[in-house]
mmCIF file of all heavy atoms in Angstrom:
data_model
loop_
_atom_site.group_PDB
_atom_site.id
_atom_site.type_symbol
_atom_site.label_atom_id
_atom_site.label_comp_id
_atom_site.label_asym_id
_atom_site.label_seq_id
_atom_site.Cartn_x
_atom_site.Cartn_y
_atom_site.Cartn_z
ATOM 1 N N ALA V 1 65.747 103.125 82.441
ATOM 2 C CA ALA V 1 66.269 104.230 81.697
ATOM 3 C C ALA V 1 67.172 105.127 82.500
ATOM 4 O O ALA V 1 68.240 105.687 82.005
ATOM 5 C CB ALA V 1 65.084 105.052 81.110
ATOM 6 N N ASP V 2 66.912 105.308 83.799
ATOM 7 C CA ASP V 2 67.669 106.129 84.624
ATOM 8 C C ASP V 2 68.381 105.364 85.743
ATOM 9 O O ASP V 2 67.772 104.894 86.725
ATOM 10 C CB ASP V 2 66.790 107.191 85.264
ATOM 11 C CG ASP V 2 67.460 108.188 86.126
ATOM 12 O OD1 ASP V 2 68.826 108.177 86.021
ATOM 13 O OD2 ASP V 2 66.877 108.875 86.856
ATOM 14 N N THR V 3 69.703 105.118 85.575
ATOM 15 C CA THR V 3 70.492 104.478 86.639
ATOM 16 C C THR V 3 71.370 105.420 87.354
ATOM 17 O O THR V 3 72.431 105.084 87.917
ATOM 18 C CB THR V 3 71.234 103.321 86.044
ATOM 19 O OG1 THR V 3 72.186 103.882 85.068
ATOM 20 C CG2 THR V 3 70.410 102.248 85.421
ATOM 21 N N ALA V 4 71.055 106.740 87.256
ATOM 22 C CA ALA V 4 71.906 107.724 87.961
ATOM 23 C C ALA V 4 71.927 107.448 89.419
ATOM 24 O O ALA V 4 70.951 107.039 90.054
ATOM 25 C CB ALA V 4 71.226 109.138 87.620
ATOM 26 N N HIS V 5 73.075 107.757 90.029
ATOM 27 C CA HIS V 5 73.286 107.467 91.442
ATOM 28 C C HIS V 5 74.345 108.379 91.941
ATOM 29 O O HIS V 5 75.017 109.117 91.285
ATOM 30 C CB HIS V 5 73.662 106.033 91.601
ATOM 31 C CG HIS V 5 74.908 105.620 90.922
ATOM 32 N ND1 HIS V 5 76.136 106.019 91.322
ATOM 33 C CD2 HIS V 5 75.121 104.938 89.692
ATOM 34 C CE1 HIS V 5 77.143 105.515 90.501
ATOM 35 N NE2 HIS V 5 76.485 104.850 89.498
ATOM 36 N N LEU V 6 74.386 108.416 93.364
ATOM 37 C CA LEU V 6 75.385 109.204 94.023
ATOM 38 C C LEU V 6 76.506 108.426 94.725
ATOM 39 O O LEU V 6 77.141 108.885 95.630
ATOM 40 C CB LEU V 6 74.700 110.142 95.038
ATOM 41 C CG LEU V 6 73.818 111.285 94.368
ATOM 42 C CD1 LEU V 6 72.894 111.841 95.507
ATOM 43 C CD2 LEU V 6 74.744 112.344 93.740
ATOM 44 N N SER V 7 76.623 107.097 94.324
ATOM 45 C CA SER V 7 77.528 106.226 95.064
ATOM 46 C C SER V 7 78.994 106.656 95.012
ATOM 47 O O SER V 7 79.774 106.290 95.909
ATOM 48 C CB SER V 7 77.447 104.788 94.479
ATOM 49 O OG SER V 7 76.141 104.243 94.684
ATOM 50 N N PHE V 8 79.338 107.414 93.927
ATOM 51 C CA PHE V 8 80.761 107.983 93.864
ATOM 52 C C PHE V 8 80.778 109.451 94.282
ATOM 53 O O PHE V 8 81.787 110.070 94.071
ATOM 54 C CB PHE V 8 81.302 107.852 92.500
ATOM 55 C CG PHE V 8 81.605 106.319 92.054
ATOM 56 C CD1 PHE V 8 81.121 105.854 90.986
ATOM 57 C CD2 PHE V 8 82.379 105.543 92.960
ATOM 58 C CE1 PHE V 8 81.445 104.442 90.672
ATOM 59 C CE2 PHE V 8 82.730 104.264 92.618
ATOM 60 C CZ PHE V 8 82.233 103.729 91.381
ATOM 61 N N GLY V 9 79.665 109.948 94.807
ATOM 62 C CA GLY V 9 79.636 111.302 95.167
ATOM 63 C C GLY V 9 79.324 112.177 94.058
ATOM 64 O O GLY V 9 78.643 111.799 93.081
ATOM 65 N N HIS V 10 79.602 113.612 94.172
ATOM 66 C CA HIS V 10 79.369 114.538 93.250
ATOM 67 C C HIS V 10 80.200 115.749 93.574
ATOM 68 O O HIS V 10 80.482 115.946 94.743
ATOM 69 C CB HIS V 10 77.845 114.879 93.264
ATOM 70 C CG HIS V 10 77.395 116.022 92.391
ATOM 71 N ND1 HIS V 10 77.300 115.845 90.962
ATOM 72 C CD2 HIS V 10 76.998 117.303 92.668
ATOM 73 C CE1 HIS V 10 76.932 116.977 90.477
ATOM 74 N NE2 HIS V 10 76.740 117.868 91.425
ATOM 75 N N GLY V 11 80.491 116.518 92.632
ATOM 76 C CA GLY V 11 81.235 117.806 92.842
ATOM 77 C C GLY V 11 82.660 117.574 92.895
ATOM 78 O O GLY V 11 83.252 116.546 92.456
ATOM 79 N N VAL V 12 83.431 118.425 93.694
ATOM 80 C CA VAL V 12 84.859 118.334 93.789
ATOM 81 C C VAL V 12 85.365 117.139 94.479
ATOM 82 O O VAL V 12 86.547 116.780 94.206
ATOM 83 C CB VAL V 12 85.423 119.669 94.475
ATOM 84 C CG1 VAL V 12 85.175 120.832 93.668
ATOM 85 C CG2 VAL V 12 84.845 119.748 95.899
ATOM 86 N N HIS V 13 84.539 116.508 95.307
ATOM 87 C CA HIS V 13 84.945 115.266 95.986
ATOM 88 C C HIS V 13 84.491 114.014 95.271
ATOM 89 O O HIS V 13 84.574 112.902 95.870
ATOM 90 C CB HIS V 13 84.447 115.260 97.434
ATOM 91 C CG HIS V 13 85.331 116.176 98.321
ATOM 92 N ND1 HIS V 13 86.420 115.678 99.015
ATOM 93 C CD2 HIS V 13 85.104 117.465 98.778
ATOM 94 C CE1 HIS V 13 86.937 116.640 99.712
ATOM 95 N NE2 HIS V 13 86.165 117.770 99.580
ATOM 96 N N PHE V 14 84.122 114.150 94.007
ATOM 97 C CA PHE V 14 83.665 112.973 93.234
ATOM 98 C C PHE V 14 84.859 111.945 93.277
ATOM 99 O O PHE V 14 85.968 112.289 93.140
ATOM 100 C CB PHE V 14 83.321 113.347 91.838
ATOM 101 C CG PHE V 14 82.862 112.139 90.979
ATOM 102 C CD1 PHE V 14 81.505 111.760 91.085
ATOM 103 C CD2 PHE V 14 83.685 111.503 90.122
ATOM 104 C CE1 PHE V 14 81.073 110.752 90.333
ATOM 105 C CE2 PHE V 14 83.194 110.492 89.382
ATOM 106 C CZ PHE V 14 81.911 110.093 89.506
ATOM 107 N N CYS V 15 84.613 110.678 93.440
ATOM 108 C CA CYS V 15 85.625 109.577 93.691
ATOM 109 C C CYS V 15 86.624 109.574 92.574
ATOM 110 O O CYS V 15 86.223 109.361 91.451
ATOM 111 C CB CYS V 15 84.926 108.281 93.843
ATOM 112 S SG CYS V 15 86.069 106.978 94.012
ATOM 113 N N VAL V 16 87.852 109.870 92.849
ATOM 114 C CA VAL V 16 88.897 109.817 91.869
ATOM 115 C C VAL V 16 89.133 108.412 91.324
ATOM 116 O O VAL V 16 89.628 108.287 90.159
ATOM 117 C CB VAL V 16 90.220 110.396 92.498
ATOM 118 C CG1 VAL V 16 90.790 109.365 93.485
ATOM 119 C CG2 VAL V 16 91.223 110.842 91.353
ATOM 120 N N GLY V 17 88.801 107.341 92.025
ATOM 121 C CA GLY V 17 88.985 106.031 91.555
ATOM 122 C C GLY V 17 87.736 105.382 90.931
ATOM 123 O O GLY V 17 87.702 104.188 90.739
ATOM 124 N N SER V 18 86.691 106.226 90.609
ATOM 125 C CA SER V 18 85.437 105.660 90.084
ATOM 126 C C SER V 18 85.602 104.803 88.799
ATOM 127 O O SER V 18 85.130 103.783 88.577
ATOM 128 C CB SER V 18 84.426 106.689 89.832
ATOM 129 O OG SER V 18 84.893 107.682 88.920
ATOM 130 N N GLN V 19 86.501 105.407 87.878
ATOM 131 C CA GLN V 19 86.732 104.556 86.677
ATOM 132 C C GLN V 19 87.451 103.305 86.890
ATOM 133 O O GLN V 19 87.155 102.279 86.186
ATOM 134 C CB GLN V 19 87.631 105.413 85.659
ATOM 135 C CG GLN V 19 86.928 106.660 85.143
ATOM 136 C CD GLN V 19 87.759 107.303 84.025
ATOM 137 O OE1 GLN V 19 87.871 106.843 82.916
ATOM 138 N NE2 GLN V 19 88.593 108.345 84.407
ATOM 139 N N LEU V 20 88.318 103.263 87.786
ATOM 140 C CA LEU V 20 89.069 102.009 88.127
ATOM 141 C C LEU V 20 88.064 100.999 88.713
ATOM 142 O O LEU V 20 88.023 99.797 88.363
ATOM 143 C CB LEU V 20 90.220 102.280 89.163
ATOM 144 C CG LEU V 20 90.952 101.065 89.553
ATOM 145 C CD1 LEU V 20 91.512 100.294 88.379
ATOM 146 C CD2 LEU V 20 92.010 101.495 90.589
ATOM 147 N N ALA V 21 87.225 101.411 89.679
ATOM 148 C CA ALA V 21 86.217 100.477 90.266
ATOM 149 C C ALA V 21 85.313 99.937 89.228
ATOM 150 O O ALA V 21 85.074 98.733 89.181
ATOM 151 C CB ALA V 21 85.354 101.294 91.271
ATOM 152 N N ARG V 22 84.861 100.735 88.264
ATOM 153 C CA ARG V 22 83.944 100.343 87.238
ATOM 154 C C ARG V 22 84.646 99.253 86.314
ATOM 155 O O ARG V 22 84.129 98.286 85.880
ATOM 156 C CB ARG V 22 83.508 101.470 86.471
ATOM 157 C CG ARG V 22 82.403 102.343 87.149
ATOM 158 C CD ARG V 22 82.092 103.556 86.327
ATOM 159 N NE ARG V 22 80.815 104.224 86.783
ATOM 160 C CZ ARG V 22 80.692 105.435 87.113
ATOM 161 N NH1 ARG V 22 81.737 106.309 87.039
ATOM 162 N NH2 ARG V 22 79.550 105.945 87.456
ATOM 163 N N LEU V 23 85.849 99.594 85.941
ATOM 164 C CA LEU V 23 86.683 98.674 85.072
ATOM 165 C C LEU V 23 86.925 97.374 85.753
ATOM 166 O O LEU V 23 86.705 96.256 85.127
ATOM 167 C CB LEU V 23 88.018 99.321 84.700
ATOM 168 C CG LEU V 23 88.957 98.478 83.762
ATOM 169 C CD1 LEU V 23 88.218 98.214 82.418
ATOM 170 C CD2 LEU V 23 90.249 99.127 83.559
ATOM 171 N N GLU V 24 87.319 97.364 86.968
ATOM 172 C CA GLU V 24 87.530 96.108 87.738
ATOM 173 C C GLU V 24 86.194 95.243 87.723
ATOM 174 O O GLU V 24 86.212 94.024 87.630
ATOM 175 C CB GLU V 24 87.924 96.395 89.180
ATOM 176 C CG GLU V 24 89.413 96.907 89.212
ATOM 177 C CD GLU V 24 89.711 97.130 90.743
ATOM 178 O OE1 GLU V 24 89.507 96.355 91.544
ATOM 179 O OE2 GLU V 24 90.300 98.286 91.015
ATOM 180 N N ALA V 25 85.098 95.996 88.005
ATOM 181 C CA ALA V 25 83.890 95.235 88.143
ATOM 182 C C ALA V 25 83.435 94.594 86.820
ATOM 183 O O ALA V 25 83.025 93.459 86.707
ATOM 184 C CB ALA V 25 82.686 96.136 88.606
ATOM 185 N N ARG V 26 83.536 95.338 85.717
ATOM 186 C CA ARG V 26 83.224 94.791 84.393
ATOM 187 C C ARG V 26 84.043 93.578 84.063
ATOM 188 O O ARG V 26 83.555 92.597 83.575
ATOM 189 C CB ARG V 26 83.343 95.902 83.247
ATOM 190 C CG ARG V 26 82.257 96.998 83.444
ATOM 191 C CD ARG V 26 82.319 97.802 82.102
ATOM 192 N NE ARG V 26 83.518 98.481 81.794
ATOM 193 C CZ ARG V 26 83.984 99.692 82.228
ATOM 194 N NH1 ARG V 26 83.075 100.441 82.969
ATOM 195 N NH2 ARG V 26 85.078 100.208 81.901
ATOM 196 N N ILE V 27 85.344 93.752 84.242
ATOM 197 C CA ILE V 27 86.229 92.643 83.926
ATOM 198 C C ILE V 27 85.952 91.347 84.782
ATOM 199 O O ILE V 27 85.821 90.271 84.351
ATOM 200 C CB ILE V 27 87.718 92.992 84.070
ATOM 201 C CG1 ILE V 27 88.094 94.088 82.994
ATOM 202 C CG2 ILE V 27 88.622 91.892 84.008
ATOM 203 C CD1 ILE V 27 89.362 94.738 83.270
ATOM 204 N N ALA V 28 85.855 91.617 86.135
ATOM 205 C CA ALA V 28 85.630 90.572 87.054
ATOM 206 C C ALA V 28 84.327 89.857 86.884
ATOM 207 O O ALA V 28 84.210 88.541 86.780
ATOM 208 C CB ALA V 28 85.748 91.048 88.422
ATOM 209 N N LEU V 29 83.198 90.555 86.650
ATOM 210 C CA LEU V 29 81.925 89.916 86.493
ATOM 211 C C LEU V 29 81.760 89.124 85.238
ATOM 212 O O LEU V 29 81.317 87.922 85.241
ATOM 213 C CB LEU V 29 80.790 90.961 86.669
ATOM 214 C CG LEU V 29 80.662 91.665 88.049
ATOM 215 C CD1 LEU V 29 79.786 92.812 87.873
ATOM 216 C CD2 LEU V 29 80.180 90.654 89.072
ATOM 217 N N SER V 30 82.196 89.724 84.158
ATOM 218 C CA SER V 30 82.206 89.006 82.806
ATOM 219 C C SER V 30 82.971 87.753 82.831
ATOM 220 O O SER V 30 82.525 86.716 82.389
ATOM 221 C CB SER V 30 82.456 89.883 81.709
ATOM 222 O OG SER V 30 83.799 90.423 81.833
ATOM 223 N N ALA V 31 84.231 87.921 83.397
ATOM 224 C CA ALA V 31 85.078 86.740 83.492
ATOM 225 C C ALA V 31 84.597 85.562 84.352
ATOM 226 O O ALA V 31 84.683 84.422 83.976
ATOM 227 C CB ALA V 31 86.471 87.155 83.898
ATOM 228 N N LEU V 32 84.010 86.001 85.503
ATOM 229 C CA LEU V 32 83.504 84.894 86.362
ATOM 230 C C LEU V 32 82.369 84.169 85.797
ATOM 231 O O LEU V 32 82.346 82.904 85.824
ATOM 232 C CB LEU V 32 82.955 85.617 87.653
ATOM 233 C CG LEU V 32 82.246 84.740 88.695
ATOM 234 C CD1 LEU V 32 83.200 83.773 89.319
ATOM 235 C CD2 LEU V 32 81.531 85.599 89.756
ATOM 236 N N PHE V 33 81.354 84.892 85.180
ATOM 237 C CA PHE V 33 80.237 84.111 84.618
ATOM 238 C C PHE V 33 80.549 83.529 83.194
ATOM 239 O O PHE V 33 79.811 82.524 82.842
ATOM 240 C CB PHE V 33 79.048 85.041 84.604
ATOM 241 C CG PHE V 33 78.473 85.303 85.952
ATOM 242 C CD1 PHE V 33 78.766 86.460 86.649
ATOM 243 C CD2 PHE V 33 77.633 84.283 86.547
ATOM 244 C CE1 PHE V 33 78.271 86.720 87.909
ATOM 245 C CE2 PHE V 33 77.099 84.583 87.850
ATOM 246 C CZ PHE V 33 77.442 85.826 88.491
ATOM 247 N N ASP V 34 81.630 83.996 82.567
ATOM 248 C CA ASP V 34 81.999 83.212 81.409
ATOM 249 C C ASP V 34 82.738 81.952 81.697
ATOM 250 O O ASP V 34 82.559 80.940 81.060
ATOM 251 C CB ASP V 34 82.954 84.099 80.549
ATOM 252 C CG ASP V 34 82.274 85.202 79.719
ATOM 253 O OD1 ASP V 34 81.087 85.062 79.651
ATOM 254 O OD2 ASP V 34 82.882 86.112 79.267
ATOM 255 N N ARG V 35 83.614 82.044 82.836
ATOM 256 C CA ARG V 35 84.328 80.832 83.256
ATOM 257 C C ARG V 35 83.475 79.804 83.855
ATOM 258 O O ARG V 35 83.658 78.564 83.702
ATOM 259 C CB ARG V 35 85.383 81.278 84.213
ATOM 260 C CG ARG V 35 86.337 80.248 84.673
ATOM 261 C CD ARG V 35 87.341 79.857 83.744
ATOM 262 N NE ARG V 35 88.353 78.945 84.211
ATOM 263 C CZ ARG V 35 89.523 79.255 84.742
ATOM 264 N NH1 ARG V 35 89.883 80.433 84.828
ATOM 265 N NH2 ARG V 35 90.293 78.310 85.176
ATOM 266 N N PHE V 36 82.373 80.257 84.641
ATOM 267 C CA PHE V 36 81.605 79.358 85.345
ATOM 268 C C PHE V 36 80.136 79.685 85.001
ATOM 269 O O PHE V 36 79.335 80.278 85.734
ATOM 270 C CB PHE V 36 81.743 79.429 86.813
ATOM 271 C CG PHE V 36 83.204 79.251 87.264
ATOM 272 C CD1 PHE V 36 83.905 80.247 87.707
ATOM 273 C CD2 PHE V 36 83.633 77.939 87.257
ATOM 274 C CE1 PHE V 36 85.279 80.022 88.028
ATOM 275 C CE2 PHE V 36 84.938 77.686 87.642
ATOM 276 C CZ PHE V 36 85.812 78.710 88.061
ATOM 277 N N PRO V 37 79.656 79.254 83.725
ATOM 278 C CA PRO V 37 78.348 79.611 83.291
ATOM 279 C C PRO V 37 77.135 78.949 84.089
ATOM 280 O O PRO V 37 76.066 79.456 83.999
ATOM 281 C CB PRO V 37 78.297 79.105 81.898
ATOM 282 C CG PRO V 37 79.399 78.079 81.733
ATOM 283 C CD PRO V 37 80.467 78.460 82.741
ATOM 284 N N ARG V 38 77.543 77.909 84.893
ATOM 285 C CA ARG V 38 76.435 77.328 85.751
ATOM 286 C C ARG V 38 76.794 77.534 87.222
ATOM 287 O O ARG V 38 76.497 76.626 88.048
ATOM 288 C CB ARG V 38 76.362 75.859 85.373
ATOM 289 C CG ARG V 38 75.840 75.696 84.011
ATOM 290 C CD ARG V 38 75.649 74.221 83.683
ATOM 291 N NE ARG V 38 75.169 74.071 82.248
ATOM 292 C CZ ARG V 38 75.060 72.803 81.767
ATOM 293 N NH1 ARG V 38 75.197 71.689 82.455
ATOM 294 N NH2 ARG V 38 74.579 72.667 80.510
ATOM 295 N N LEU V 39 77.441 78.577 87.581
ATOM 296 C CA LEU V 39 77.756 78.917 88.957
ATOM 297 C C LEU V 39 76.471 78.985 89.673
ATOM 298 O O LEU V 39 75.472 79.566 89.294
ATOM 299 C CB LEU V 39 78.372 80.310 88.905
ATOM 300 C CG LEU V 39 79.023 80.844 90.294
ATOM 301 C CD1 LEU V 39 80.193 79.934 90.738
ATOM 302 C CD2 LEU V 39 79.413 82.292 90.165
ATOM 303 N N THR V 40 76.445 78.333 90.807
ATOM 304 C CA THR V 40 75.233 78.122 91.734
ATOM 305 C C THR V 40 75.405 78.730 93.059
ATOM 306 O O THR V 40 76.406 78.507 93.727
ATOM 307 C CB THR V 40 74.911 76.626 91.833
ATOM 308 O OG1 THR V 40 74.873 75.973 90.502
ATOM 309 C CG2 THR V 40 73.609 76.339 92.493
ATOM 310 N N ALA V 41 74.380 79.493 93.363
ATOM 311 C CA ALA V 41 74.376 80.062 94.766
ATOM 312 C C ALA V 41 74.299 78.855 95.841
ATOM 313 O O ALA V 41 73.565 77.973 95.756
ATOM 314 C CB ALA V 41 73.117 81.076 94.961
ATOM 315 N N ALA V 42 74.999 79.083 96.874
ATOM 316 C CA ALA V 42 75.014 78.124 97.989
ATOM 317 C C ALA V 42 74.616 78.918 99.323
ATOM 318 O O ALA V 42 75.171 78.657 100.396
ATOM 319 C CB ALA V 42 76.356 77.592 98.214
ATOM 320 N N PHE V 43 73.653 79.856 99.156
ATOM 321 C CA PHE V 43 73.167 80.518 100.242
ATOM 322 C C PHE V 43 71.586 80.828 100.099
ATOM 323 O O PHE V 43 71.146 80.775 99.004
ATOM 324 C CB PHE V 43 73.862 81.928 100.381
ATOM 325 C CG PHE V 43 73.790 82.799 99.196
ATOM 326 C CD1 PHE V 43 72.622 83.613 98.930
ATOM 327 C CD2 PHE V 43 74.733 82.768 98.179
ATOM 328 C CE1 PHE V 43 72.531 84.353 97.775
ATOM 329 C CE2 PHE V 43 74.704 83.545 97.045
ATOM 330 C CZ PHE V 43 73.588 84.347 96.816
ATOM 331 N N SER V 44 70.916 80.935 101.204
ATOM 332 C CA SER V 44 69.565 81.330 101.151
ATOM 333 C C SER V 44 69.431 82.779 101.519
ATOM 334 O O SER V 44 68.602 83.443 100.914
ATOM 335 C CB SER V 44 68.771 80.411 102.058
ATOM 336 O OG SER V 44 69.202 80.459 103.383
ATOM 337 N N GLU V 45 70.239 83.185 102.586
ATOM 338 C CA GLU V 45 70.176 84.544 102.947
ATOM 339 C C GLU V 45 71.668 84.970 103.146
ATOM 340 O O GLU V 45 72.434 84.115 103.464
ATOM 341 C CB GLU V 45 69.456 84.873 104.233
ATOM 342 C CG GLU V 45 67.899 84.638 104.112
ATOM 343 C CD GLU V 45 67.203 85.009 105.392
ATOM 344 O OE1 GLU V 45 67.827 85.452 106.360
ATOM 345 O OE2 GLU V 45 65.922 84.768 105.422
ATOM 346 N N LEU V 46 71.946 86.260 102.972
ATOM 347 C CA LEU V 46 73.324 86.719 103.184
ATOM 348 C C LEU V 46 73.349 87.659 104.382
ATOM 349 O O LEU V 46 72.483 88.520 104.580
ATOM 350 C CB LEU V 46 73.768 87.535 101.855
ATOM 351 C CG LEU V 46 73.993 86.708 100.613
ATOM 352 C CD1 LEU V 46 74.124 87.485 99.359
ATOM 353 C CD2 LEU V 46 75.189 85.739 100.786
ATOM 354 N N GLU V 47 74.399 87.526 105.179
ATOM 355 C CA GLU V 47 74.490 88.306 106.360
ATOM 356 C C GLU V 47 75.221 89.617 106.078
ATOM 357 O O GLU V 47 76.298 89.704 105.533
ATOM 358 C CB GLU V 47 75.341 87.506 107.474
ATOM 359 C CG GLU V 47 75.472 88.275 108.734
ATOM 360 C CD GLU V 47 76.331 87.453 109.747
ATOM 361 O OE1 GLU V 47 76.729 86.299 109.429
ATOM 362 O OE2 GLU V 47 76.671 88.041 110.818
#
């Protein structure tokens, strides 16, 4: 229910590019998994 976060800051220094980052992420993620619905991880741990 609550996904509130401070990743883009708060107040007068709130990230001016937050909307752009969110838009890029929504477009990229949906397109990636639509294009490759059986994309498979090739890692056990990430560095």
Side-chain angles (χ1 to χ4, degrees):
D2 181 13
T3 59
H5 57 79
L6 288 168
S7 295
F8 290 128
H10 177 72
V12 296
H13 281 277
F14 185 81
C15 178
V16 71
S18 59
Q19 290 189 80
L20 178 58
R22 285 171 163 132
L23 180 62
E24 290 180 46
R26 290 195 299 268
I27 291 172
L29 292 171
S30 61
L32 173 67
F33 287 98
D34 282 348
R35 182 77 175 264
F36 303 106
R38 294 183 183 177
L39 189 68
T40 304
F43 56 84
S44 56
E45 293 185 5
L46 291 168
E47 182 181 354

